[in-house]
Amino acid sequence: MKLYDELVARGLIAQVTNEEEIKEMIDNGKATFYIGFDPTADSLHVGHFMALCLMKRLQMAGNKPIALIGGGTAMIGDPSGRTDMRSMMTKETIDHNCACFKKQMERFIEFGEDKAQMVNNADWLLDLNYVDVLRDVGACFSVNNMLRAECYKQRMEKGLSFLEFNYMIMQSYDFYHLFQKYGCNMQFGGNDQWSNMLGGTELIRRKLGKDAHAMTITLLLNSEGKKMGKTAKGAVWLDPEKTSPFDFFQYWRNVSDDDVLKCIRMLTFLPLEQIDAMDSWEGSQLNTAKEILAYELTKLVHGEEEADKARTAAKALFAGGADDANMPTTELTEDQLNEGKIAILDLMMACKLAPSKSEARRLVQQGGVFANDEKVGAIDVAFTAEQLRQGVKLRKGKKVYHKAILV
């Protein structure tokens, strides 16, 4: 099976323009394509995971990826999928986030001469002259057509700022710039980016003529990816300092029965034949599929050694074993204690098992917190320095484990 057909079989492709030409280019390694990443945090999360895996698949087939970091468009904020205006970030924050993104992307994509490139649209967008943009670019866009775009329609009732209204023009200009400077002939993005992407394709044709080859593909990147990226405690990050390899493993180990095979198809590099054989799996076999998913993705993001540790720790914990060597651990110091003790609510916050004391209190009162395998029965429970030196094993709910130790 050639690459394009494999992408379809894996459930990745949602919409395309010029399908036959796109298929020929991808299958024969002729695509120079870009995917954009808005640097709204200092780490990528699993909502970006599908895009990174896609870039890896395409590069392995000889195509050339361009990772576009939206340092310029982040100054505006993408209105797609939002009900309110995104808070503004400083240039310093955006630059820091861009640097963090590159480090994480290098685990997926091979950068270098005649390989993948990373570019920042701040390098060209921030130097544009406003009047020139209005004359050269704005003239190519119909306001009536823009207002029919889903990303704008859903915001009209609550209010859409003129700042955000320009986002489509800026993103379209990105494709136009990359087409001219880097020979970028294809763009990928999620369903919620379709209107913006079509704007880029149309701008190239309007400015450079109908024979300009600019292709557009949308995948189930954002619709599935954003859903994947959120849990009850927030985003699941690729940065091990934000989400430990163990917690990352557990996130994928706990996906629903309905989603596990979909995730294996979309995100792992296991052969389709092997995945198709899992279609008939039921009951406990689905737990095996979840372990496969969790291990493969943890290995991809954090490396084989960390994946092995996470799998070993998970098996030991859920089998009732005593091996907690690889459990996520928070090291406490004496100055975090109050009269030689730390209260359960403060301990949960220190271990990032709750974002606030009120949330920690709710979890304890609902019987969802355990310490050393015993239910914490009251919010005034505290742990001594001696207990902490030996290590206190916390459990939130049925599946979130953490160890606290005094150093």
Side-chain angles (χ1 to χ4, degrees), residues 44 47 69 107 118 162 176 233 307 317 327 350:
L44 297 164
I69 305 298
R107 292 198 67 96
M118 175 172 284
F162 181 71
Y176 173 65
K233 64 177 182 179
L317 289 169
M327 186 188 300

Side-chain angles (χ1 to χ4, degrees), residues 349-407:
M349 290 182 62
C351 294
K352 299 182 180 179
L353 294 176
S356 64
K357 275 194 175 182
S358 60
E359 175 63 13
R361 182 181 295 109
R362 183 188 67 80
L363 290 167
V364 171
Q365 291 173 337
Q366 291 181 352
V369 179
F370 295 77
N372 295 331
D373 298 322
E374 293 186 5
K375 183 181 292 186
V376 176
I379 61 172
D380 58 356
V381 168
F383 301 90
T384 66
E386 183 179 353
Q387 289 174 303
L388 290 164
R389 287 191 184 97
Q390 295 176 4
V392 174
K393 185 171 69 177
L394 299 173
R395 174 161 62 90
K396 183 177 75 171
K398 294 182 179 180
K399 300 174 180 178
V400 179
Y401 285 85
H402 202 95
K403 183 168 64 175
I405 189 165
L406 185 64
V407 294

Side-chain angles (χ1 to χ4, degrees), residues 64-90:
K64 295 180 182 179
I66 297 175
L68 172 66
I69 305 298
T73 41
M75 304 290 285
I76 296 176
D78 184 1
S80 301
R82 298 184 60 85
T83 58
D84 56 1
M85 184 172 171
R86 192 190 302 275
S87 56
M88 304 294 286
M89 296 188 296
T90 65

Side-chain angles (χ1 to χ4, degrees), residues 81-142:
R82 298 184 60 85
T83 58
D84 56 1
M85 184 172 171
R86 192 190 302 275
S87 56
M88 304 294 286
M89 296 188 296
T90 65
K91 185 178 185 300
E92 291 73 22
T93 298
I94 292 171
D95 289 344
H96 170 73
N97 294 350
C98 290
C100 294
F101 276 23
K102 184 172 184 180
K103 285 183 180 179
Q104 293 175 350
M105 287 181 179
E106 286 173 342
R107 292 198 67 96
F108 293 81
I109 308 161
E110 188 176 1
F111 291 96
E113 187 176 351
D114 204 35
K115 296 177 182 176
Q117 300 179 72
M118 175 172 284
V119 297
N120 186 337
N121 64 14
D123 293 341
W124 57 86
L125 291 181
L126 299 187
D127 291 334
L128 292 175
N129 178 281
Y130 183 63
V131 174
D132 288 343
V133 172
L134 290 177
R135 290 174 60 88
D136 296 339
V137 181
C140 298
F141 287 81
S142 162

Side-chain angles (χ1 to χ4, degrees), residues 131-394:
V131 174
D132 288 343
V133 172
L134 290 177
R135 290 174 60 88
D136 296 339
V137 181
C140 298
F141 287 81
S142 162
V143 171
N144 290 344
N145 289 339
M146 293 174 71
L147 291 176
R148 283 194 285 268
E150 193 62 35
C151 61
Y152 291 143
K153 283 168 60 178
Q154 62 188 3
R155 287 290 304 280
M156 291 302 290
E157 291 185 9
K158 289 196 171 184
L160 176 71
S161 71
F162 181 71
L163 176 71
E164 294 173 292
F165 189 66
N166 282 270
Y167 189 90
M168 180 186 292
I169 295 175
M170 294 295 95
Q171 183 171 328
S172 298
Y173 189 87
D174 284 343
F175 194 19
Y176 173 65
H177 177 87
L178 294 174
F179 181 90
Q180 289 186 295
K181 184 169 183 178
Y182 298 100
C184 179
N185 51 27
M186 199 174 295
Q187 59 180 334
F188 288 76
N191 279 336
D192 60 352
Q193 295 293 312
W194 185 241
S195 296
N196 294 340
M197 294 164 67
L198 288 179
T201 299
E202 182 61 23
L203 177 60
I204 290 172
R205 289 172 179 165
R206 290 282 298 271
K207 295 292 292 182
L208 303 177
K210 293 182 179 180
D211 292 334
H213 282 72
M215 309 298 173
T216 300
I217 290 183
T218 71
L219 297 94
L220 299 176
L221 294 180
N222 291 22
S223 56
E224 292 294 330
K226 286 180 179 177
K227 181 178 74 174
M228 291 175 186
K230 298 294 180 181
T231 67
K233 64 177 182 179
V236 178
W237 305 100
L238 305 193
D239 183 346
E241 297 298 318
K242 289 176 170 287
T243 299
S244 71
F246 177 85
D247 287 335
F248 187 85
F249 181 97
Q250 285 302 110
Y251 172 77
W252 295 109
R253 174 62 181 80
N254 295 329
V255 299
S256 70
D257 290 354
D258 292 338
D259 287 339
V260 59
L261 290 180
K262 180 194 301 182
C263 291
I264 289 177
R265 273 198 176 83
M266 289 181 171
L267 302 178
T268 76
F269 287 79
L270 296 176
L272 279 172
E273 295 80 4
Q274 181 180 346
I275 300 171
D276 290 341
M278 301 179 190
D279 279 337
S280 60
W281 286 12
E282 297 178 348
S284 62
Q285 288 179 307
L286 289 178
N287 288 328
T288 301
K290 292 176 187 180
E291 290 174 3
I292 292 171
L293 172 68
Y295 181 80
E296 290 295 325
L297 298 191
T298 305
K299 181 172 67 173
L300 187 59
V301 174
H302 298 295
E304 188 170 0
E305 181 179 354
E306 291 297 333
D308 288 339
K309 288 180 182 179
R311 182 169 61 184
T312 299
K315 286 184 176 180
L317 289 169
F318 294 109
D323 182 8
D324 59 4
N326 296 313
M327 186 188 300
T329 299
T330 294
E331 295 183 345
L332 303 175
T333 57
E334 293 281 355
D335 60 4
Q336 291 176 272
L337 307 185
N338 183 14
E339 297 181 352
K341 297 180 180 180
I342 186 169
I344 182 61
L345 303 186
D346 293 324
L347 183 59
M348 291 181 66
M349 290 182 62
C351 294
K352 299 182 180 179
L353 294 176
S356 64
K357 275 194 175 182
S358 60
E359 175 63 13
R361 182 181 295 109
R362 183 188 67 80
L363 290 167
V364 171
Q365 291 173 337
Q366 291 181 352
V369 179
F370 295 77
N372 295 331
D373 298 322
E374 293 186 5
K375 183 181 292 186
V376 176
I379 61 172
D380 58 356
V381 168
F383 301 90
T384 66
E386 183 179 353
Q387 289 174 303
L388 290 164
R389 287 191 184 97
Q390 295 176 4
V392 174
K393 185 171 69 177
L394 299 173

